[in-house]
Amino acid sequence: MPLALLKYGLRNDYPATSHFSESADLKDHYDVVIIGAGGHGAAIAYYLARYHGISNIALLDKGYLGGGNTARNTAVIRSNYLTEEGVRFYRESVQLFRGLSNELGYNIMMEDRGQLTLAHSDAAIRSFRWRAEVNRRLGVRSELIDRQSIRELVPNLRVTDDSRFPILAGLWHADGATARHDAVVWGYARGACQRGVELHQLTEVQSVEVTDGAVKSVLTNRGRVGCGCVVQAVAGMSSVVARLAGIRLPIHTFPLQAMVTQPYKPVLTPLVSSPHLHVYVQQTSRGEFVLGGGSDPYALYNTRSTLEQKESLASAILELFPFLSQAKVLRQWAGITDMTPDYSPIMGLSSVKNYYLDAGWGTWGFKATPICGKTMASLVATGRVPELIRPFELERFYRFEQVNEAGATAASH
Amino acid sequence: MLLISCPFCGERAETEFSYGGEAGISRPPDPDALDDAAWADYLFMRKNPRGQHLELWNHAQGCRRWFEVERDTVTYTIKASRALQTDSGDKG
């Protein structure tokens, strides 16, 4: 093996093939144009090409593949939501994640770690009990656990009475997991490109042309492209792109800041979050602690880090894991989150014919990547809204049937 | 850290204020006259622009009054702030 590797390294022509299609010229017409080549866009293209026989697809991105929120999320996979609609949807996603490396023939580095949410008040315990009951009824593994069980699961966690907000109980979600976020989009894009989908990076959609209430073409910085239908999958820019098609969305856009410490030996297995302290944390397989927090307090489309948010993130994590006071921060960044009023996504039909929405992904987009791709592909191919995503249509706001998941976020926003 | 100019107290640090979302949305004077779509539009739909945004702020740890700010949601730049006009929204 080492010899083979050495020979490979010394060769002039590397036998490795490119994962993705070469960027050829744009064609005049595609059956499907997907705006946004992140995890969701690539997944939709993959399921369309593999399971619905539709491969005349252009996957467009104004930047590069997976360079938006797919690269910026904190790679949390879980299904311990509060509403039945939410739990059913994310449960399917977790199941698809489990088989995804095999499905794609590409290692997404899925790790079943379990996820622990901490309660610092009686009100939080009540809501955890509610979530645990809803979850269990739908076959999702969630249970309310006491302080002793928390100590056994996470020995480094500070579970004492003398902290400012003592930990009272926890919601243990054995199905919680993590995976390599980049690998998810690379795997989907590779599978899609192998089946004829065209990936066009650095291709920005500048306007959407609607005739008689139906979308006919999009105008990009590389020319006009006719299309049978359009799917927008642009987390962080949902309102801006939807406006091109004349669609109004109930979204407020905020950045969410995160950071990563220097690597440590493996000391933390589960993903831990505290909605009360606005922080969630996991140790990656590289040993780094990934810390995420609440969103910035006012609307922004800017990914700059601010001292106030980083300070609150750091002080919150020290309440939980005091040993991190010695840790150095290696990287910091922000992702742009499209927050909806009910903390659920907006998927499905829009007021424009053949224009499909995959929007409002706030802070819950990565974990939904596989199921969103699968159900949106089915919608595009058949024109029928799958039952699993019907509750998440934009129409729900006009029927006052919101799917309230505000109580099930990892950190309140 | 933003420096926000309260029209009543002058320039103060961002941490003294709380954000109130898009400005200029008035509660419809006769809600019963609206259909569901118009009511949902008033309740939920927002401009959410990438760029200039006219928004409400409250000087929560100062005079506790609401006012309007014109701010850029990409560059953070605040162009203007002023007291609310009498008809520009009921924000409690």
Side-chain angles (χ1 to χ4, degrees):
Chain A
M1 174 61 189
L3 197 64
L5 196 62
L6 188 67
K7 271 171 70 183
Y8 177 83
L10 293 174
R11 279 174 71 158
N12 285 330
D13 57 327
Y14 295 104
T17 50
S18 168
H19 277 19
F20 316 113
S21 56
E22 301 295 319
S23 54
D25 288 339
L26 281 168
K27 288 195 281 189
D28 291 339
H29 187 274
Y30 294 90
D31 294 337
V32 183
V33 164
I34 299 172
I35 309 174
H40 283 222
I44 295 166
Y46 171 85
Y47 287 104
L48 277 172
R50 175 148 190 198
Y51 294 101
H52 299 282
I54 298 171
S55 58
N56 184 21
I57 299 172
L59 182 56
L60 310 180
D61 202 288
K62 74 169 179 178
Y64 59 94
L65 177 71
N69 288 322
T70 300
R72 295 164 182 276
N73 68 79
T74 47
V76 176
I77 298 168
R78 63 185 177 91
S79 57
N80 55 351
Y81 279 77
L82 184 62
T83 66
E84 297 206 5
E85 297 90 336
V87 175
R88 278 201 190 94
F89 178 73
Y90 293 104
R91 178 188 67 188
E92 290 301 305
S93 207
V94 171
Q95 277 167 10
L96 287 176
F97 262 118
R98 291 211 176 102
L100 198 54
S101 292
N102 283 332
E103 164 86 29
L104 299 174
Y106 198 89
N107 188 1
I108 63 155
M109 300 166 84
M110 172 94 174
E111 291 175 59
D112 287 301
R113 301 276 200 94
Q115 195 247 355
L116 176 66
T117 313
L118 301 170
H120 305 260
S121 68
D122 290 342
I125 297 176
R126 278 196 296 277
S127 97
F128 285 5
R129 189 170 288 138
W130 179 6
R131 277 166 74 183
E133 292 301 329
V134 173
N135 288 187
R136 232 176 321 197
R137 198 176 88 70
L138 296 169
V140 167
R141 292 181 292 168
S142 288
E143 59 179 314
L144 192 66
I145 61 171
D146 63 9
R147 288 163 59 135
Q148 187 52 36
S149 310
I150 293 174
R151 285 193 191 97
E152 287 163 15
L153 273 169
V154 192
N156 295 311
L157 186 63
R158 183 171 169 229
V159 188
T160 57
D161 284 326
D162 61 356
S163 55
R164 187 166 169 214
F165 300 109
I167 294 163
L168 303 179
L171 182 67
W172 172 242
H173 177 46
D175 295 320
T178 184
R180 176 78 197 274
H181 47 184
D182 300 312
V184 173
V185 62
W186 294 339
Y188 273 126
R190 188 183 75 141
C193 289
Q194 281 168 348
R195 292 170 176 83
V197 172
E198 289 182 18
L199 168 65
H200 292 281
Q201 303 176 100
L202 298 174
T203 306
E204 180 176 4
V205 172
Q206 292 165 334
S207 65
V208 174
E209 290 159 340
V210 177
T211 316
D212 299 330
V215 63
K216 297 289 184 222
S217 59
V218 297
L219 189 66
T220 75
N221 57 342
R222 295 171 58 204
R224 175 175 278 102
V225 179
C227 52
C229 67
V230 170
V231 185
Q232 81 157 67
V234 288
M237 290 285 278
S238 297
S239 297
V240 177
V241 173
R243 196 174 298 124
L244 298 178
I247 300 163
R248 291 187 82 194
L249 294 177
I251 286 175
H252 295 86
T253 298
F254 299 88
L256 191 147
Q257 301 186 26
M259 58 192 188
V260 158
T261 70
Q262 68 194 96
Y264 285 81
K265 69 180 183 181
V267 290
L268 177 65
T269 305
L271 291 69
V272 178
S273 83
S274 165
H276 189 94
L277 297 175
H278 304 283
V279 71
Y280 53 94
V281 59
Q282 61 157 305
Q283 191 177 19
T284 68
S285 46
R286 278 191 296 218
E288 300 160 344
F289 282 82
V290 181
L291 314 173
S295 354
D296 282 29
Y298 44 88
L300 274 174
Y301 284 84
N302 190 318
T303 54
R304 200 162 80 179
S305 292
T306 60
L307 184 61
E308 294 83 42
Q309 288 296 108
K310 288 300 190 277
E311 220 172 12
S312 88
L313 201 52
S315 66
I317 198 63
L318 294 185
E319 284 283 312
L320 302 179
F321 296 103
F323 77 91
L324 283 174
S325 65
Q326 302 301 316
K328 291 186 172 56
V329 172
L330 281 192
R331 295 189 300 282
Q332 51 172 11
W333 70 95
I336 308 277
T337 63
D338 287 335
M339 303 301 291
T340 53
D342 58 0
Y343 285 53
S344 283
I346 297 169
M347 308 168 70
L349 305 171
S350 73
S351 54
V352 176
K353 198 163 182 284
N354 299 334
Y355 192 94
Y356 302 102
L357 292 169
D358 175 13
W361 281 106
T363 61
W364 42 86
F366 172 72
K367 65 175 71 70
T369 304
I371 191 60
C372 173
K374 187 177 171 185
T375 49
M376 287 297 293
S378 163
L379 168 63
V380 170
T382 66
R384 288 190 305 274
V385 182
E387 282 309 311
L388 212 50
I389 63 171
R390 187 175 290 281
F392 302 115
E393 285 200 285
L394 177 60
E395 221 3 70
R396 75 176 182 271
F397 292 100
Y398 293 103
R399 291 193 309 260
F400 307 100
E401 289 172 359
Q402 296 97 302
V403 184
N404 185 1
E405 289 292 2
T409 54
S412 329
H413 301 290
Chain B
M1 175 74 75
L2 290 180
L3 276 180
I4 298 173
S5 177
C6 170
F8 313 104
C9 311
E11 237 173 36
R12 300 292 175 86
E14 163 192 329
T15 46
E16 287 190 22
F17 297 87
S18 63
Y19 175 66
E22 187 178 322
I25 299 171
S26 304
R27 182 183 166 90
D30 182 11
D32 290 340
L34 301 183
D35 58 9
D36 282 358
W39 185 245
D41 224 48
Y42 154 70
L43 280 183
F44 301 121
M45 301 303 154
R46 295 293 179 264
K47 295 194 187 99
N48 195 28
R50 187 175 186 274
Q52 285 298 317
H53 191 214
L54 188 63
E55 58 199 19
L56 294 171
W57 283 82
N58 180 251
H59 194 184
Q61 291 174 39
C63 64
R64 300 199 286 172
R65 292 168 77 175
W66 287 94
F67 59 98
E68 266 178 14
V69 173
E70 266 182 73
R71 185 179 59 94
D72 191 303
T73 59
V74 179
T75 65
Y76 290 78
T77 317
I78 293 175
K79 206 164 133 194
S81 69
R82 57 183 163 266
L84 287 180
Q85 308 302 303
T86 46
D87 62 348
S88 60
D90 174 8
K91 198 68 193 180

